[in-house]
Amino acid sequence: MIFSFEVIISVIMLISLILYALKGGADYGGGVWDLLAFGKRARKQREVIAEAISPVWEANHVWLILVIVILFTAFPAGFSTISTVLHIPLTLMLIGIVFRGSAFAFRTYDAKKEESRSWGLVFSVSSLITPVLLGVILGAIISGNVIVENGIVRDGFIKPWFSLFALFVGLFTLALFAYLAAVYLTLETDDEELQDDFRGRALISAVISGLLAIAVYVLSGSGAPTISRELSENWWAWGIQVVVFILAVSAFVALITRRFRLARMCAIGQVSLIILGWAIAQYPYLVEPNVTIFNAAAPESTLKLLLATLVLGGFLLLPSFYYLLRVFRKL
Amino acid sequence: MAISLGFHIIFAVAGIAMPLMMVIAEWKWLRTKKEVYLSLTKHWAKGTAILFAVGAVSGTVLSFELGLLWPNFMEWAGSIIGMPFSLEGFAFFTEAIFLGIYLYGWNKVNPTVHLISGALVAVSGAASGIFVTIANAWMNTPAGFDLIDGKPVNIDPISAMLNPAAFSQSLHMIIAAYAATGFAVAGIHAFLLLKNPRNQFHQKALYIALAIGGVAAVIQPVSGDILAKTVAQNQPLKLAAFEGQFKTEKGAPLKIGGIPDVDEMRTKYALEIPYGLSLLAYNNPKAEVKGLQSFPRDLWPPVAIVHVAFQIMVAAGLIMIAISIYCFILMIRRKKIYNSRRLLRILMLCSPLGFIAIEAGWTVTEVGRQPWIIYEVMKTADALTPMPGLVVTFSSFTLIYIFLSAIVVLLLLRQFRASPEYVDKGNSEP
């Protein structure tokens, strides 16, 4: 079972999701710091953020499209369940994505400059809301309340996602994205004062993320019982949580001692492992408690071909993506 | 969904052809080292960037929307036609990466790499368009599965991609993209030349845009003919609706214009060319064309809409061809296109024609397929989500797209207003 097509494709989907969180997520976080820019260097902070995001945000964003495309090609039944039950938060998230993307485009390409501040506000507010909605959706998917039985949505279109647990997963997502962004931004400027601004933000958001992580963990007992049990009873789950903790502490220390490259590596490891741990806890479920990656899978002919495409596409894509990041010195 | 696609198609089409023009301008810059080409490249690149940014978010919306509105369709068809969407995902990714390098890498990569990045943007943009159109073609001529008890079995995604309409439909779409964008851009620069006739910036732009739009417009009938024959073979009912052909007859005439009257079962006020339809659809003036009367009434698409849209598309295409040929003749006679104010005015007025043709063609293919979402397999009504209050979703997506379009138009207008001056020193007096 472990080396079946279903699992391999799920792993690729997971990697895309992790990359989306690491790259696209940080772009959202940039928007948060744009909103919260203050002090006498506020304008400079915003410039650093805009310069860091502009060349790459569209490419970063495509990771999300890739996740969706793999989902509906390989697991059409899962896609249909999620998009039926979570219609409302998905729609809201899309509205957030549209406003953010277009506001950013407007701010960057507008020939007139004076209006760009209000567009900047649209950009940063939607950067704040969209990750929360993304987290709410993920929280709902693991809650065990997203259920379609015989073509009928069991719990209606609001209850499955309108919960304290899902909300806290949303806030946790936002905090992590903001944390990632602040850590990356310390490396986007050579100005020591600006570096210190972002370092301070990274430290604060690290603490907030940690507190929210604990809150999510506590709430998961009733909010997502299956996942919660997996996380507390499994030895590997403990292993991952211990490593995440060690990385979090190391990132914190590295930030304090201004070792920003090390901090970035730790932060990347931290976020990747959090998503990985969640995914392992959820295995083999795509949507708790009825949809698994096996019963929702497309026929093998489709999976085989999709895998071939993903592998070939990967050979094309990954070097190009790497090159993009190299050109703009993001590695 | 249809509305979202109707808007998206405009961003997407412009996003396919703009990079090609931008790369041609850059290539000219590298060859001639004339400043004006560099400036043109940078301006067109900005236009491309705006279209791409908005296209990226509108594309994201669409990929989710497939599931939000048609979960049953996606559950049923995802495994069959997910492939072209996955390939499109990769093409889109390539486009995003190299556009990033292109736009922000002027001083970071060497000129050849820069030009290649631009070319990759153009190629992957076209590839995206082809893959998406293939998925749509599958809805017209579904293939790659067997239908047993209403469920698809023996799924073969490769034959699904190679469905009968895939080649002709995507060819037609891609050429349309170049023709429409070429004409639209030419029209805008023609307008600016009317105000500022000596500006070389617009002169050069006009030539490049017209070259692409003109060549595409002139070869378009060939792909249209291939596509019409595909439709005749696979969707005879749809062809009958295109043509407003109610009667089943041998040696059917080609109807030009006219308004189909469904109650009287005939198309009124049309100009008829004897044997024309049989000849075009089957290469044989005596061939039998199945009319709408041969099909159950409840499977007819809205005939009047389809027929009229089809006529609009063809008419727009013909006008574009006429203009292209006229410009070509002028060029052979070594006359400067931009010195004829009348021609500039015509070009300006015709600049939306290609997009009108595309929207009309989109109406023809989508409305012409109704009541099916997958031709003769699944009805549109059965694919809809059970979510109540869909009006809200539909209207909010519509608002999103109106908002996006307004932004694009506004941004592009401001770009054009900021276009630079390169005064032509009068070496091209008539």
Side-chain angles (χ1 to χ4, degrees), chain A residues 123-141:
Chain A
F123 162 70
S124 49
V125 170
S126 47
S127 298
L128 194 74
I129 296 169
T130 313
V132 177
L133 287 163
L134 179 67
V136 165
I137 290 163
L138 294 178
I141 289 173

Side-chain angles (χ1 to χ4, degrees), chain A residues 25-83:
Chain A
D27 293 341
Y28 286 106
V32 174
W33 300 124
D34 180 282
L35 183 68
L36 299 180
F38 66 90
K40 57 178 183 295
R41 289 183 295 278
R43 202 172 56 82
K44 273 195 177 163
Q45 290 168 8
R46 292 203 173 101
E47 280 170 12
V48 173
I49 294 166
E51 266 172 43
I53 296 178
S54 301
V56 289
W57 75 270
E58 283 144 335
N60 291 344
H61 183 74
V62 186
W63 289 111
L64 177 66
I65 299 183
L66 199 61
V67 172
I68 297 304
V69 169
I70 297 176
L71 181 64
F72 74 58
T73 308
F75 310 108
F79 180 62
S80 126
T81 303
I82 293 170
S83 55

Side-chain angles (χ1 to χ4, degrees), chain A residues 80 87 109-110 301-302 309, chain B residues 75 79 83 155 393 414-415:
Chain A
S80 126
H87 187 110
Y109 301 117
D110 193 4
S301 53
T302 304
T309 314
Chain B
E75 181 163 0
S79 56
M83 277 320 288
I155 288 171
T393 311
R414 289 196 183 176
Q415 287 300 328

Side-chain angles (χ1 to χ4, degrees), chain B residues 1-316:
Chain B
M1 187 79 195
I3 295 170
S4 308
L5 280 167
F7 280 111
H8 180 73
I9 208 170
I10 296 181
F11 310 141
V13 154
I16 290 169
M18 282 297 292
L20 181 61
M21 297 197 288
M22 148 192 117
V23 171
I24 291 177
E26 187 179 6
W27 182 69
K28 290 282 250 178
W29 146 247
L30 291 176
R31 286 221 0 200
T32 63
K33 290 289 165 199
K34 280 185 189 158
E35 216 37 59
V36 56
Y37 284 117
L38 178 63
S39 166
L40 186 57
T41 309
K42 290 198 166 168
H43 273 77
W44 277 349
K46 262 198 176 167
T48 307
I50 294 166
L51 285 164
F52 188 78
V54 176
V57 289
S58 95
T60 313
V61 173
L62 277 176
S63 60
F64 278 98
E65 212 181 347
L66 287 171
L68 290 176
L69 297 179
W70 317 109
N72 300 335
F73 166 73
M74 285 315 290
E75 181 163 0
W76 203 94
S79 56
I80 312 172
I81 53 156
M83 277 320 288
F85 285 112
S86 315
L87 292 170
E88 196 265 343
F90 280 110
F92 189 59
F93 222 137
T94 314
E95 196 178 351
I97 290 172
F98 287 101
L99 189 62
I101 293 172
Y102 191 88
L103 291 174
Y104 294 91
W106 281 99
N107 304 318
K108 294 196 160 93
V109 297
N110 76 47
T112 318
V113 173
H114 194 260
L115 186 67
I116 292 173
S117 299
L120 283 170
V121 172
V123 170
S124 48
S128 300
I130 290 172
F131 290 131
V132 171
T133 315
I134 286 177
N136 180 260
W138 180 85
M139 291 158 73
N140 285 320
T141 56
F145 63 96
D146 296 321
L147 199 60
I148 293 176
D149 296 332
K151 296 257 174 231
V153 290
N154 300 330
I155 288 171
D156 176 358
I158 294 190
S159 357
M161 279 188 68
L162 301 176
N163 67 75
F167 171 73
S168 44
Q169 211 182 313
S170 45
L171 184 69
H172 197 60
M173 183 75 238
I174 287 296
I175 297 177
Y178 293 120
T181 312
F183 265 83
V185 174
I188 292 165
H189 288 286
F191 167 69
L192 295 166
L193 275 173
L194 282 169
K195 294 207 300 193
N196 187 0
R198 287 292 182 80
N199 195 341
Q200 278 193 334
F201 180 81
H202 297 307
Q203 295 173 354
K204 307 286 184 206
L206 185 72
Y207 267 92
I208 296 178
L210 260 186
I212 289 176
V215 170
V218 171
I219 59 174
Q220 183 67 308
V222 179
S223 79
D225 181 56
I226 300 173
L227 181 55
K229 290 188 166 77
T230 315
V231 174
Q233 212 163 44
N234 297 288
Q235 297 172 287
L237 170 58
K238 194 172 180 176
L239 184 82
F242 285 4
E243 300 291 346
Q245 180 74 23
F246 287 94
K247 269 194 300 189
T248 297
E249 60 185 331
K250 287 187 177 154
L254 182 69
K255 296 187 181 59
I256 295 177
I259 299 165
D261 185 324
V262 180
D263 296 322
E264 285 186 37
M265 297 277 287
R266 69 193 189 86
T267 297
K268 292 176 182 168
Y269 318 117
L271 179 69
E272 299 199 355
I273 300 174
Y275 305 110
L277 181 55
S278 293
L279 189 66
L280 278 177
Y282 299 100
N283 291 333
N284 173 4
K286 292 287 169 57
E288 182 182 85
V289 175
K290 280 205 169 156
L292 289 154
Q293 62 172 199
S294 303
F295 301 91
R297 183 73 183 258
D298 60 336
L299 295 183
W300 289 11
V303 179
I305 297 178
V306 176
H307 178 70
V308 170
F310 188 73
Q311 301 298 318
I312 292 174
M313 174 182 80
V314 173

Side-chain angles (χ1 to χ4, degrees), chain A residues 177-244:
Chain A
F177 286 178
Y179 168 63
L180 276 178
V183 174
Y184 294 173
L185 284 166
T186 56
L187 288 156
E188 293 285 345
T189 172
D190 297 325
D191 182 331
E192 285 212 3
E193 286 180 329
L194 281 171
Q195 282 179 344
D196 278 336
D197 288 348
F198 292 124
R199 182 176 74 144
R201 285 162 173 73
L203 290 169
I204 293 167
S205 48
V207 173
I208 296 175
S209 304
L211 293 175
L212 283 169
I214 295 168
V216 167
Y217 187 76
V218 171
L219 286 169
S220 71
S222 58
T226 328
I227 298 276
S228 173
R229 207 170 333 111
E230 282 287 322
L231 282 177
S232 53
E233 286 173 6
N234 243 314
W235 61 267
W236 52 258
W238 278 109
I240 288 182
Q241 287 169 70
V242 168
V243 178
V244 169

